Amino acid sequence: MVDRKKRVEHIPHELIDLVQERVAQGKAYKSGVAELMAINAQLLVFERRASKLREAERKRRVGR
């Protein structure tokens, strides 16, 4: 796709292996990026929980 439009290109027989490898590399890259995004989202969830726990602990100390 180019500019959100599908394009069809003829691939010469001698380039099929190269094109298939590049497509596989692109898929691996996208998969890696998606995995990193999921990890970052989970880290944000953990940090939010930790922050809430720290705040609750701080309030308990102040209330004593």
Side-chain angles (χ1 to χ4, degrees):
M1 295 191 74
V2 176
D3 295 328
R4 298 182 185 180
K5 296 179 183 177
K6 288 185 182 181
R7 287 187 53 174
V8 177
E9 294 286 332
H10 172 74
I11 299 170
H13 185 70
E14 62 271 8
L15 295 179
I16 288 176
D17 290 338
L18 176 64
V19 170
Q20 286 176 336
E21 182 170 333
R22 289 191 180 180
V23 168
Q25 288 172 350
K27 287 180 180 180
Y29 174 80
K30 285 178 74 173
S31 176
V33 169
E35 186 175 352
L36 285 173
M37 296 295 287
I39 290 168
N40 282 335
Q42 193 64 45
L43 287 172
L44 288 171
V45 169
F46 291 149
E47 179 55 33
R48 179 178 280 173
R49 288 179 186 165
S51 177
K52 287 181 181 180
L53 289 173
R54 286 191 299 269
E55 183 63 22
E57 181 62 29
R58 186 188 68 74
K59 286 182 181 179
R60 273 186 255 149
R61 286 186 197 151
V62 171
R64 289 183 180 179

